[in-house]
Amino acid sequence: MKIAVKKSILSANDRVAGENRARLDAAGVLAVNLMASPGAGKTSVILATAERLPVEVRPGVIEGDLASRIDADRVAGRGIPVVQINTGGGCHLDAPMVRSALAQLPLDAMEVLFIENVGNLICPAEFDLGAHLAVVIASAPEGHDKPYKYPGMFARADAVVLNKADLLDVFAFDLDDFRRGVALVNRKAPIFVLSCRTADGLGVWMDWMLDRQRDAAARGEQR
Ligand code: MG
Ligand code: ZN
């Protein structure tokens, strides 16, 4: 019974996710769903990426949090269009939440949309939002065992970002063990080791993301 209910919730979600994706495709916008535990640096990755985008690639952001506008205010402070979703205790974003946020964003004046999911490595992976890319962000202080403990999240990732790489030594982070853990559940996702503080590694991540952005722009032009 429980399983049947969960299935129907997910299929209703997937229908709205499909509508979101169609809307983003029509606007030629690449949407990136960023998932991580609290404190991994999702907002920092978004800001560091956004400020290095070529001028013709204009960003927009959806911020998902249980409560507060702290992250949205950080983003708005950089002059980036942003909508804050407060889930009121909900531990993940779903497609209907993103649909209402999309209605408040200037999609025609954007080329890439960063969706910062609620800080949680479990259920956000189960809810398709209509984004084109699922990116999991881990960080050096969290330890190298995260892929082993949250395989579902890492299995669904199109890319993995390891943030706060300037602290790898401080936390005795075993990068090889982390890579092995990701490879156990996901052989395709590239792993980008970077630091928002020093900007090391940001360029490689951005090149990969911008390649996908060009594909999204081409989809928009075909319509
Ligand atoms: Mg944040
Ligand atoms: Zn949840």
Side-chain angles (χ1 to χ4, degrees), residues 6-19 95-96 99:
K6 194 177 171 192
K7 258 189 182 158
S8 87
I9 290 171
L10 286 176
S11 77
N13 181 78
D14 286 353
R15 187 171 37 75
V16 177
E19 292 164 14
R99 175 174 57 191

Side-chain angles (χ1 to χ4, degrees), residues 30-34 112-116 131-135 205 209:
L30 175 78
V32 186
N33 179 14
L34 297 152
V112 59
L113 170 64
F114 299 104
I115 304 173
E116 181 177 334
H132 303 94
L133 296 176
V135 176
W205 144 250
M209 200 269 303

Side-chain angles (χ1 to χ4, degrees), residues 204-218:
V204 185
W205 144 250
M206 292 203 55
D207 287 347
W208 180 87
M209 200 269 303
L210 286 169
D211 265 354
R212 272 82 204 157
Q213 185 273 322
R214 278 185 286 274
D215 294 343

Side-chain angles (χ1 to χ4, degrees), residues 34-45 63-65 71 74 116-121 137-143 146 161-165 167 171 196:
L34 297 152
M35 295 172 283
S37 37
K42 294 184 294 302
T43 313
S44 298
V45 168
E63 281 293 340
D65 282 294
D71 285 351
R74 267 178 86 188
E116 181 177 334
N117 218 308
V118 177
N120 167 1
L121 281 176
I137 304 176
S139 66
E142 295 172 65
K146 284 291 175 294
V161 169
L162 178 62
N163 188 26
K164 308 189 191 181
L167 299 176
F171 287 92
C196 292

Side-chain angles (χ1 to χ4, degrees), residues 14-143:
D14 286 353
R15 187 171 37 75
V16 177
E19 292 164 14
N20 290 347
R21 189 151 27 235
R23 186 159 181 191
L24 292 158
D25 283 345
V29 174
L30 175 78
V32 186
N33 179 14
L34 297 152
M35 295 172 283
S37 37
K42 294 184 294 302
T43 313
S44 298
V45 168
I46 290 170
L47 291 175
T49 305
E51 81 185 11
R52 289 172 175 81
L53 289 171
V55 282
E56 67 276 15
V57 180
R58 296 164 293 180
V61 176
I62 295 174
E63 281 293 340
D65 282 294
L66 301 187
S68 89
R69 284 194 50 84
I70 294 170
D71 285 351
D73 289 345
R74 267 178 86 188
V75 174
R78 308 283 184 93
I80 300 168
V82 57
V83 173
Q84 176 79 54
I85 297 173
N86 282 143
T87 59
C91 48
H92 57 266
L93 293 180
D94 63 26
M97 293 175 193
V98 169
R99 175 174 57 191
S100 53
L102 290 180
Q104 302 168 61
L105 283 167
L107 294 184
D108 290 333
M110 285 166 42
E111 281 70 38
V112 59
L113 170 64
F114 299 104
I115 304 173
E116 181 177 334
N117 218 308
V118 177
N120 167 1
L121 281 176
I122 309 165
C123 48
E126 293 182 34
F127 289 83
D128 184 4
L129 304 179
H132 303 94
L133 296 176
V135 176
V136 179
I137 304 176
S139 66
E142 295 172 65

